[in-house]
Amino acid sequence: MVGQDTTDSGGGSIELVAAYAFDHGPFTATEAMGATGLTRATVLKTCEDLATTGWIRELDDARAAGDYRMGRPARRYELAEDAAFVVGLDVGQHRVAALVADLRGIVVARAELPIIGGDTDPELRLATAHAVVERATAAAGVAAGQVLVTAVGVPAPVDARGRSPRGDHDYWSRMNPGFAGALDEWGHIELENDANLAAAAERAHGTVARESIGVLLAGEHFGAGLIVDGVLLHGATGGAGELRVLGMVEGVGSSIGLEGALRRWVHEERQTGMIPPDSTLADIPTATLDLDAVVSAASAGDAYAWSLVDRLGERLGRVCAVLSSLLDVEEIVVAGGTAAAATPVVARAQSWLQEGSYAPTPIVRASQLGVDVVALGAITRAIATIRRQHARFAEAIVAPGRR
């Protein structure tokens, strides 16, 4: 019932009003009352408390803003989105990228560095991640103490305590060697699998409108973030979406992704003289070959390049068939650095699915979120952590007048 408190005037009302401020632009006490069920007196007192601690700011009243003409002008408030910041970090096998965002998730700075000299060296990975966050926060003009949460995406399963299991010949533990200790000057550290963060980004910023989806990172290796009936799947050790099972799938044979597969194929066929000498791919060094080069060559009429696109499309289609059959996902999004060039591969995968006996077939499409999809998902995760644990961070912001 509007006007009757559904909680006390302490922490519960603060949680409710803070959540309302995160979800809306400028608001009045009346609007917050209608959404929270709190009394006017409680809403006004809570807004004063949140303004004192710096979480929201009071604006010009409604009359001054031109929205109110008669009677007593309403007091207006909004989230102080620049009172603190979050960092989203994508620590891939070969590169590290960081985004800095305000409390609304608006990105204010970015930095990226390659991991040079041993991309599975734990100490090098930690040092590179530290350097990238330093660069990104410096570019944003944000001090370490202004960052409330840093969320980190890694190419490994991650359990509820931020740990990766000792598996896959210790590859997972090398990918996730202990970022909490290396980055703790930048607030609370959240660890998550990179594909899971990509899935979170697609739900928050993409065009996904379905409750059951798979988001595939498909560059060097396949990894999936899986949302089923609106719930992100993790599993006992965070391994939901790890696709080592593809080694047992006919026509796939391993979890190697689109770019990893095409480089392997081109290397083998170069060794056996199977690449036509007139192909534009004949002289491209295997180590630098990527999906964009193959698709560009195919679009220019290179028959050999088109054969690679066709093979990659079938490979992707088989992976999608596995995910769809096991989990009944309605949509599969190919995300990450390969997504921009993947459109013809995705189209071939969709055709392959429809030609087979895999009904109902999922919609397969390329993400529009670009190479930073994991870091964007990390920003989403960081802000969700602040909202979910508002009391934990309540003292972390000090209003400008009290600094």
Side-chain angles (χ1 to χ4, degrees):
M1 177 177 177
V2 175
Q4 179 177 340
D5 278 352
T6 59
T7 185
D8 58 47
S9 60
S13 63
I14 287 176
E15 298 290 336
L16 289 171
V17 177
Y20 185 81
F22 268 101
D23 287 335
H24 297 80
F27 65 92
T28 64
T30 299
E31 291 165 339
M33 285 170 55
T36 64
L38 300 170
T39 64
R40 177 176 294 277
T42 298
V43 168
L44 290 173
K45 175 62 167 61
T46 302
C47 287
E48 289 177 4
D49 292 343
L50 288 169
T52 298
T53 54
W55 282 94
I56 68 173
R57 61 172 64 95
E58 186 168 1
L59 305 173
D60 291 336
D61 62 41
R63 178 178 293 161
D67 296 332
Y68 195 99
R69 297 184 181 277
M70 298 180 64
R72 182 178 179 180
R75 298 170 70 178
R76 299 167 65 247
Y77 307 90
E78 71 174 359
L79 179 73
E81 69 277 353
D82 56 352
F85 297 86
V86 297
V87 173
L89 193 61
D90 175 11
V91 186
Q93 181 172 339
H94 305 296
R95 70 174 187 102
V96 181
L99 301 177
V100 181
D102 65 21
L103 293 177
R104 290 245 185 243
I106 304 301
V107 174
V108 296
R110 181 187 188 277
E112 179 178 338
L113 285 173
I115 301 176
I116 299 174
D119 49 31
T120 62
D121 178 351
E123 294 304 318
L124 180 59
R125 292 175 64 76
L126 294 174
T128 305
H130 191 280
V132 171
V133 177
E134 276 192 329
R135 289 192 179 197
T137 52
V142 171
Q146 293 176 275
V147 177
L148 294 188
V149 177
T150 294
V152 185
V154 295
V158 178
D159 68 15
R161 299 178 64 180
R163 303 171 305 184
S164 295
R166 296 187 66 84
D168 204 12
H169 306 289
D170 286 338
Y171 173 81
W172 291 335
S173 60
R174 293 196 301 272
M175 292 298 99
N176 182 19
F179 290 99
L183 302 172
D184 59 2
E185 62 194 276
W186 290 288
H188 169 71
I189 308 300
E190 289 275 308
L191 270 294
E192 180 60 281
N193 170 261
D194 54 1
N196 285 348
L197 291 178
E202 289 295 335
R203 284 297 296 267
H205 306 291
T207 58
V208 171
R210 296 168 178 83
E211 289 296 296
S212 295
I213 67 168
V215 177
L216 274 177
L217 296 180
E220 292 299 319
H221 292 86
F222 285 117
L226 304 170
I227 297 175
V228 178
D229 298 331
V231 177
L232 179 66
L233 302 185
H234 282 91
T237 61
E242 289 296 322
L243 295 176
R244 290 178 297 169
V245 69
L246 294 176
M248 295 181 281
V249 176
E250 181 180 356
V252 181
S254 75
S255 62
I256 293 175
L258 299 179
E259 292 198 329
L262 74 85
R263 278 194 282 269
R264 175 174 292 188
W265 295 340
V266 169
H267 174 74
E268 292 172 350
E269 291 170 1
R270 182 169 284 144
Q271 297 299 312
T272 57
M274 293 178 61
I275 300 179
D278 61 344
S279 171
T280 56
L281 304 181
D283 298 323
I284 297 178
T286 304
T288 62
L289 186 64
D290 59 17
L291 185 59
D292 185 64
V294 172
V295 170
S296 295
S299 299
D302 188 318
Y304 175 69
W306 265 122
S307 74
L308 291 175
V309 169
D310 191 64
R311 290 169 67 186
L312 289 172
E314 181 177 335
R315 183 178 182 83
L316 176 61
R318 289 178 182 273
V319 175
C320 293
V322 170
L323 293 179
S324 179
S325 298
L326 286 175
L327 297 166
D328 196 22
V329 293
E330 303 169 273
E331 182 174 2
I332 295 175
V333 183
V334 178
T338 59
T343 298
V345 175
V346 167
R348 179 66 188 101
Q350 189 80 74
S351 297
W352 186 88
L353 285 166
Q354 292 170 346
E355 291 164 3
S357 54
Y358 304 107
T361 57
I363 295 170
V364 186
R365 66 174 180 84
S367 171
Q368 301 298 309
L369 297 184
V371 70
D372 284 331
V373 63
V374 172
L376 285 170
I379 293 294
T380 300
R381 172 68 173 267
I383 293 174
T385 298
I386 294 170
R387 295 188 57 170
R388 187 175 63 251
Q389 304 178 38
H390 180 271
R392 175 178 187 168
F393 301 102
E395 301 301 321
I397 295 178
V398 179
R402 298 174 61 205
R403 291 175 183 166

PDB file of all heavy atoms in Angstrom, residues 173-201:
ATOM      1  N   SER A 173      44.554 -22.868 -13.617  1.00  0.00           N
ATOM      2  CA  SER A 173      45.179 -22.176 -12.492  1.00  0.00           C
ATOM      3  C   SER A 173      46.186 -21.135 -12.966  1.00  0.00           C
ATOM      4  O   SER A 173      46.398 -20.116 -12.303  1.00  0.00           O
ATOM      5  CB  SER A 173      45.838 -23.176 -11.541  1.00  0.00           C
ATOM      6  OG  SER A 173      46.829 -23.929 -12.211  1.00  0.00           O
ATOM      7  N   ARG A 174      46.808 -21.353 -14.125  1.00  0.00           N
ATOM      8  CA  ARG A 174      47.714 -20.341 -14.671  1.00  0.00           C
ATOM      9  C   ARG A 174      46.938 -19.142 -15.220  1.00  0.00           C
ATOM     10  O   ARG A 174      47.416 -18.006 -15.164  1.00  0.00           O
ATOM     11  CB  ARG A 174      48.596 -20.943 -15.768  1.00  0.00           C
ATOM     12  CG  ARG A 174      49.583 -21.977 -15.249  1.00  0.00           C
ATOM     13  CD  ARG A 174      50.687 -22.253 -16.275  1.00  0.00           C
ATOM     14  NE  ARG A 174      50.161 -22.744 -17.538  1.00  0.00           N
ATOM     15  CZ  ARG A 174      49.942 -24.039 -17.811  1.00  0.00           C
ATOM     16  NH1 ARG A 174      50.171 -24.954 -16.876  1.00  0.00           N
ATOM     17  NH2 ARG A 174      49.500 -24.413 -18.989  1.00  0.00           N
ATOM     18  N   MET A 175      45.753 -19.391 -15.758  1.00  0.00           N
ATOM     19  CA  MET A 175      44.919 -18.289 -16.237  1.00  0.00           C
ATOM     20  C   MET A 175      44.352 -17.458 -15.089  1.00  0.00           C
ATOM     21  O   MET A 175      44.093 -16.266 -15.239  1.00  0.00           O
ATOM     22  CB  MET A 175      43.761 -18.834 -17.082  1.00  0.00           C
ATOM     23  CG  MET A 175      44.164 -19.466 -18.409  1.00  0.00           C
ATOM     24  SD  MET A 175      44.976 -18.325 -19.569  1.00  0.00           S
ATOM     25  CE  MET A 175      46.707 -18.746 -19.297  1.00  0.00           C
ATOM     26  N   ASN A 176      44.166 -18.063 -13.931  1.00  0.00           N
ATOM     27  CA  ASN A 176      43.581 -17.390 -12.761  1.00  0.00           C
ATOM     28  C   ASN A 176      44.511 -17.586 -11.558  1.00  0.00           C
ATOM     29  O   ASN A 176      44.219 -18.337 -10.640  1.00  0.00           O
ATOM     30  CB  ASN A 176      42.193 -17.969 -12.472  1.00  0.00           C
ATOM     31  CG  ASN A 176      41.500 -17.278 -11.305  1.00  0.00           C
ATOM     32  OD1 ASN A 176      41.864 -16.168 -10.925  1.00  0.00           O
ATOM     33  ND2 ASN A 176      40.505 -17.949 -10.743  1.00  0.00           N
ATOM     34  N   PRO A 177      45.646 -16.864 -11.560  1.00  0.00           N
ATOM     35  CA  PRO A 177      46.678 -17.135 -10.558  1.00  0.00           C
ATOM     36  C   PRO A 177      46.557 -16.352  -9.255  1.00  0.00           C
ATOM     37  O   PRO A 177      47.474 -16.382  -8.437  1.00  0.00           O
ATOM     38  CB  PRO A 177      47.959 -16.743 -11.302  1.00  0.00           C
ATOM     39  CG  PRO A 177      47.538 -15.625 -12.190  1.00  0.00           C
ATOM     40  CD  PRO A 177      46.123 -15.951 -12.620  1.00  0.00           C
ATOM     41  N   GLY A 178      45.475 -15.603  -9.047  1.00  0.00           N
ATOM     42  CA  GLY A 178      45.314 -14.865  -7.798  1.00  0.00           C
ATOM     43  C   GLY A 178      45.238 -13.365  -7.999  1.00  0.00           C
ATOM     44  O   GLY A 178      46.049 -12.607  -7.458  1.00  0.00           O
ATOM     45  N   PHE A 179      44.247 -12.912  -8.761  1.00  0.00           N
ATOM     46  CA  PHE A 179      44.133 -11.491  -9.071  1.00  0.00           C
ATOM     47  C   PHE A 179      43.692 -10.650  -7.877  1.00  0.00           C
ATOM     48  O   PHE A 179      43.979  -9.455  -7.825  1.00  0.00           O
ATOM     49  CB  PHE A 179      43.161 -11.282 -10.244  1.00  0.00           C
ATOM     50  CG  PHE A 179      43.714 -11.763 -11.548  1.00  0.00           C
ATOM     51  CD1 PHE A 179      43.359 -13.002 -12.056  1.00  0.00           C
ATOM     52  CD2 PHE A 179      44.611 -10.993 -12.259  1.00  0.00           C
ATOM     53  CE1 PHE A 179      43.882 -13.468 -13.257  1.00  0.00           C
ATOM     54  CE2 PHE A 179      45.139 -11.432 -13.462  1.00  0.00           C
ATOM     55  CZ  PHE A 179      44.786 -12.674 -13.962  1.00  0.00           C
ATOM     56  N   ALA A 180      43.011 -11.258  -6.919  1.00  0.00           N
ATOM     57  CA  ALA A 180      42.543 -10.486  -5.767  1.00  0.00           C
ATOM     58  C   ALA A 180      43.713  -9.828  -5.045  1.00  0.00           C
ATOM     59  O   ALA A 180      43.667  -8.650  -4.680  1.00  0.00           O
ATOM     60  CB  ALA A 180      41.754 -11.386  -4.824  1.00  0.00           C
ATOM     61  N   GLY A 181      44.780 -10.570  -4.828  1.00  0.00           N
ATOM     62  CA  GLY A 181      45.932 -10.004  -4.142  1.00  0.00           C
ATOM     63  C   GLY A 181      46.671  -8.969  -4.968  1.00  0.00           C
ATOM     64  O   GLY A 181      47.224  -8.007  -4.427  1.00  0.00           O
ATOM     65  N   ALA A 182      46.681  -9.144  -6.284  1.00  0.00           N
ATOM     66  CA  ALA A 182      47.438  -8.235  -7.152  1.00  0.00           C
ATOM     67  C   ALA A 182      46.707  -6.920  -7.419  1.00  0.00           C
ATOM     68  O   ALA A 182      47.346  -5.922  -7.766  1.00  0.00           O
ATOM     69  CB  ALA A 182      47.738  -8.923  -8.479  1.00  0.00           C
ATOM     70  N   LEU A 183      45.391  -6.925  -7.272  1.00  0.00           N
ATOM     71  CA  LEU A 183      44.594  -5.757  -7.667  1.00  0.00           C
ATOM     72  C   LEU A 183      43.807  -5.139  -6.524  1.00  0.00           C
ATOM     73  O   LEU A 183      42.969  -4.267  -6.759  1.00  0.00           O
ATOM     74  CB  LEU A 183      43.616  -6.167  -8.781  1.00  0.00           C
ATOM     75  CG  LEU A 183      44.230  -6.763 -10.050  1.00  0.00           C
ATOM     76  CD1 LEU A 183      43.128  -7.288 -10.972  1.00  0.00           C
ATOM     77  CD2 LEU A 183      45.083  -5.741 -10.785  1.00  0.00           C
ATOM     78  N   ASP A 184      44.061  -5.559  -5.277  1.00  0.00           N
ATOM     79  CA  ASP A 184      43.163  -5.166  -4.190  1.00  0.00           C
ATOM     80  C   ASP A 184      43.206  -3.684  -3.856  1.00  0.00           C
ATOM     81  O   ASP A 184      42.356  -3.192  -3.107  1.00  0.00           O
ATOM     82  CB  ASP A 184      43.420  -6.005  -2.935  1.00  0.00           C
ATOM     83  CG  ASP A 184      44.842  -5.886  -2.428  1.00  0.00           C
ATOM     84  OD1 ASP A 184      45.636  -5.131  -3.018  1.00  0.00           O
ATOM     85  OD2 ASP A 184      45.171  -6.560  -1.430  1.00  0.00           O
ATOM     86  N   GLU A 185      44.159  -2.932  -4.410  1.00  0.00           N
ATOM     87  CA  GLU A 185      44.129  -1.481  -4.182  1.00  0.00           C
ATOM     88  C   GLU A 185      42.963  -0.829  -4.918  1.00  0.00           C
ATOM     89  O   GLU A 185      42.597   0.314  -4.631  1.00  0.00           O
ATOM     90  CB  GLU A 185      45.446  -0.840  -4.611  1.00  0.00           C
ATOM     91  CG  GLU A 185      45.782  -0.982  -6.086  1.00  0.00           C
ATOM     92  CD  GLU A 185      47.229  -0.635  -6.391  1.00  0.00           C
ATOM     93  OE1 GLU A 185      47.530   0.572  -6.560  1.00  0.00           O
ATOM     94  OE2 GLU A 185      48.056  -1.568  -6.451  1.00  0.00           O
ATOM     95  N   TRP A 186      42.383  -1.567  -5.888  1.00  0.00           N
ATOM     96  CA  TRP A 186      41.238  -1.042  -6.648  1.00  0.00           C
ATOM     97  C   TRP A 186      39.944  -1.694  -6.166  1.00  0.00           C
ATOM     98  O   TRP A 186      39.194  -2.287  -6.940  1.00  0.00           O
ATOM     99  CB  TRP A 186      41.446  -1.257  -8.136  1.00  0.00           C
ATOM    100  CG  TRP A 186      42.530  -0.365  -8.680  1.00  0.00           C
ATOM    101  CD1 TRP A 186      42.464   0.985  -8.867  1.00  0.00           C
ATOM    102  CD2 TRP A 186      43.842  -0.764  -9.070  1.00  0.00           C
ATOM    103  NE1 TRP A 186      43.657   1.444  -9.362  1.00  0.00           N
ATOM    104  CE2 TRP A 186      44.528   0.399  -9.499  1.00  0.00           C
ATOM    105  CE3 TRP A 186      44.516  -1.986  -9.101  1.00  0.00           C
ATOM    106  CZ2 TRP A 186      45.836   0.380  -9.947  1.00  0.00           C
ATOM    107  CZ3 TRP A 186      45.828  -2.019  -9.548  1.00  0.00           C
ATOM    108  CH2 TRP A 186      46.479  -0.849  -9.964  1.00  0.00           C
ATOM    109  N   GLY A 187      39.700  -1.615  -4.888  1.00  0.00           N
ATOM    110  CA  GLY A 187      38.428  -2.021  -4.316  1.00  0.00           C
ATOM    111  C   GLY A 187      38.276  -3.521  -4.148  1.00  0.00           C
ATOM    112  O   GLY A 187      39.234  -4.294  -4.166  1.00  0.00           O
ATOM    113  N   HIS A 188      37.034  -3.926  -3.974  1.00  0.00           N
ATOM    114  CA  HIS A 188      36.690  -5.336  -3.853  1.00  0.00           C
ATOM    115  C   HIS A 188      36.883  -6.014  -5.204  1.00  0.00           C
ATOM    116  O   HIS A 188      36.510  -5.475  -6.240  1.00  0.00           O
ATOM    117  CB  HIS A 188      35.233  -5.465  -3.393  1.00  0.00           C
ATOM    118  CG  HIS A 188      34.686  -6.839  -3.469  1.00  0.00           C
ATOM    119  ND1 HIS A 188      35.085  -7.847  -2.627  1.00  0.00           N
ATOM    120  CD2 HIS A 188      33.762  -7.391  -4.310  1.00  0.00           C
ATOM    121  CE1 HIS A 188      34.436  -8.956  -2.926  1.00  0.00           C
ATOM    122  NE2 HIS A 188      33.631  -8.700  -3.943  1.00  0.00           N
ATOM    123  N   ILE A 189      37.461  -7.221  -5.207  1.00  0.00           N
ATOM    124  CA  ILE A 189      37.748  -7.922  -6.457  1.00  0.00           C
ATOM    125  C   ILE A 189      36.754  -9.069  -6.658  1.00  0.00           C
ATOM    126  O   ILE A 189      36.565  -9.902  -5.772  1.00  0.00           O
ATOM    127  CB  ILE A 189      39.183  -8.491  -6.464  1.00  0.00           C
ATOM    128  CG1 ILE A 189      40.202  -7.395  -6.114  1.00  0.00           C
ATOM    129  CG2 ILE A 189      39.495  -9.108  -7.818  1.00  0.00           C
ATOM    130  CD1 ILE A 189      40.204  -6.214  -7.054  1.00  0.00           C
ATOM    131  N   GLU A 190      36.127  -9.069  -7.830  1.00  0.00           N
ATOM    132  CA  GLU A 190      35.221 -10.141  -8.225  1.00  0.00           C
ATOM    133  C   GLU A 190      35.863 -10.920  -9.372  1.00  0.00           C
ATOM    134  O   GLU A 190      36.334 -10.314 -10.343  1.00  0.00           O
ATOM    135  CB  GLU A 190      33.881  -9.575  -8.713  1.00  0.00           C
ATOM    136  CG  GLU A 190      33.016  -8.982  -7.629  1.00  0.00           C
ATOM    137  CD  GLU A 190      32.168 -10.038  -6.945  1.00  0.00           C
ATOM    138  OE1 GLU A 190      31.471 -10.797  -7.636  1.00  0.00           O
ATOM    139  OE2 GLU A 190      32.222 -10.098  -5.703  1.00  0.00           O
ATOM    140  N   LEU A 191      35.896 -12.233  -9.279  1.00  0.00           N
ATOM    141  CA  LEU A 191      36.435 -13.084 -10.337  1.00  0.00           C
ATOM    142  C   LEU A 191      35.304 -13.850 -11.010  1.00  0.00           C
ATOM    143  O   LEU A 191      34.391 -14.332 -10.335  1.00  0.00           O
ATOM    144  CB  LEU A 191      37.439 -14.081  -9.773  1.00  0.00           C
ATOM    145  CG  LEU A 191      38.926 -13.686  -9.699  1.00  0.00           C
ATOM    146  CD1 LEU A 191      39.500 -13.519 -11.089  1.00  0.00           C
ATOM    147  CD2 LEU A 191      39.128 -12.434  -8.868  1.00  0.00           C
ATOM    148  N   GLU A 192      35.367 -13.981 -12.336  1.00  0.00           N
ATOM    149  CA  GLU A 192      34.332 -14.712 -13.061  1.00  0.00           C
ATOM    150  C   GLU A 192      34.910 -15.237 -14.367  1.00  0.00           C
ATOM    151  O   GLU A 192      35.874 -14.682 -14.923  1.00  0.00           O
ATOM    152  CB  GLU A 192      33.130 -13.802 -13.331  1.00  0.00           C
ATOM    153  CG  GLU A 192      31.970 -14.425 -14.080  1.00  0.00           C
ATOM    154  CD  GLU A 192      31.358 -15.628 -13.380  1.00  0.00           C
ATOM    155  OE1 GLU A 192      31.963 -16.708 -13.491  1.00  0.00           O
ATOM    156  OE2 GLU A 192      30.290 -15.481 -12.753  1.00  0.00           O
ATOM    157  N   ASN A 193      34.343 -16.303 -14.867  1.00  0.00           N
ATOM    158  CA  ASN A 193      34.689 -16.828 -16.179  1.00  0.00           C
ATOM    159  C   ASN A 193      34.366 -15.802 -17.253  1.00  0.00           C
ATOM    160  O   ASN A 193      33.340 -15.116 -17.197  1.00  0.00           O
ATOM    161  CB  ASN A 193      33.909 -18.124 -16.414  1.00  0.00           C
ATOM    162  CG  ASN A 193      34.014 -18.610 -17.842  1.00  0.00           C
ATOM    163  OD1 ASN A 193      33.108 -18.382 -18.634  1.00  0.00           O
ATOM    164  ND2 ASN A 193      35.117 -19.248 -18.186  1.00  0.00           N
ATOM    165  N   ASP A 194      35.237 -15.692 -18.259  1.00  0.00           N
ATOM    166  CA  ASP A 194      35.060 -14.648 -19.276  1.00  0.00           C
ATOM    167  C   ASP A 194      33.789 -14.836 -20.098  1.00  0.00           C
ATOM    168  O   ASP A 194      33.077 -13.863 -20.400  1.00  0.00           O
ATOM    169  CB  ASP A 194      36.285 -14.546 -20.178  1.00  0.00           C
ATOM    170  CG  ASP A 194      36.710 -15.858 -20.832  1.00  0.00           C
ATOM    171  OD1 ASP A 194      36.041 -16.891 -20.620  1.00  0.00           O
ATOM    172  OD2 ASP A 194      37.732 -15.853 -21.553  1.00  0.00           O
ATOM    173  N   ALA A 195      33.442 -16.073 -20.463  1.00  0.00           N
ATOM    174  CA  ALA A 195      32.230 -16.284 -21.253  1.00  0.00           C
ATOM    175  C   ALA A 195      30.980 -15.968 -20.442  1.00  0.00           C
ATOM    176  O   ALA A 195      29.976 -15.481 -20.995  1.00  0.00           O
ATOM    177  CB  ALA A 195      32.174 -17.722 -21.773  1.00  0.00           C
ATOM    178  N   ASN A 196      31.010 -16.220 -19.142  1.00  0.00           N
ATOM    179  CA  ASN A 196      29.877 -15.849 -18.299  1.00  0.00           C
ATOM    180  C   ASN A 196      29.690 -14.336 -18.276  1.00  0.00           C
ATOM    181  O   ASN A 196      28.550 -13.834 -18.292  1.00  0.00           O
ATOM    182  CB  ASN A 196      30.079 -16.368 -16.877  1.00  0.00           C
ATOM    183  CG  ASN A 196      29.856 -17.859 -16.754  1.00  0.00           C
ATOM    184  OD1 ASN A 196      29.330 -18.491 -17.668  1.00  0.00           O
ATOM    185  ND2 ASN A 196      30.267 -18.421 -15.640  1.00  0.00           N
ATOM    186  N   LEU A 197      30.789 -13.596 -18.234  1.00  0.00           N
ATOM    187  CA  LEU A 197      30.680 -12.139 -18.271  1.00  0.00           C
ATOM    188  C   LEU A 197      30.189 -11.660 -19.631  1.00  0.00           C
ATOM    189  O   LEU A 197      29.420 -10.692 -19.716  1.00  0.00           O
ATOM    190  CB  LEU A 197      32.027 -11.504 -17.940  1.00  0.00           C
ATOM    191  CG  LEU A 197      32.499 -11.676 -16.499  1.00  0.00           C
ATOM    192  CD1 LEU A 197      33.875 -11.037 -16.303  1.00  0.00           C
ATOM    193  CD2 LEU A 197      31.500 -11.088 -15.508  1.00  0.00           C
ATOM    194  N   ALA A 198      30.609 -12.337 -20.704  1.00  0.00           N
ATOM    195  CA  ALA A 198      30.092 -11.988 -22.030  1.00  0.00           C
ATOM    196  C   ALA A 198      28.584 -12.192 -22.087  1.00  0.00           C
ATOM    197  O   ALA A 198      27.853 -11.381 -22.670  1.00  0.00           O
ATOM    198  CB  ALA A 198      30.787 -12.821 -23.104  1.00  0.00           C
ATOM    199  N   ALA A 199      28.101 -13.267 -21.474  1.00  0.00           N
ATOM    200  CA  ALA A 199      26.657 -13.511 -21.426  1.00  0.00           C
ATOM    201  C   ALA A 199      25.948 -12.414 -20.647  1.00  0.00           C
ATOM    202  O   ALA A 199      24.873 -11.944 -21.040  1.00  0.00           O
ATOM    203  CB  ALA A 199      26.384 -14.885 -20.806  1.00  0.00           C
ATOM    204  N   ALA A 200      26.547 -11.985 -19.533  1.00  0.00           N
ATOM    205  CA  ALA A 200      25.951 -10.892 -18.749  1.00  0.00           C
ATOM    206  C   ALA A 200      25.881  -9.606 -19.569  1.00  0.00           C
ATOM    207  O   ALA A 200      24.886  -8.864 -19.503  1.00  0.00           O
ATOM    208  CB  ALA A 200      26.764 -10.665 -17.475  1.00  0.00           C
ATOM    209  N   ALA A 201      26.926  -9.348 -20.351  1.00  0.00           N
ATOM    210  CA  ALA A 201      26.927  -8.147 -21.196  1.00  0.00           C
ATOM    211  C   ALA A 201      25.845  -8.214 -22.257  1.00  0.00           C
ATOM    212  O   ALA A 201      25.159  -7.224 -22.533  1.00  0.00           O
ATOM    213  CB  ALA A 201      28.299  -7.970 -21.852  1.00  0.00           C
TER     214      ALA A 201
END
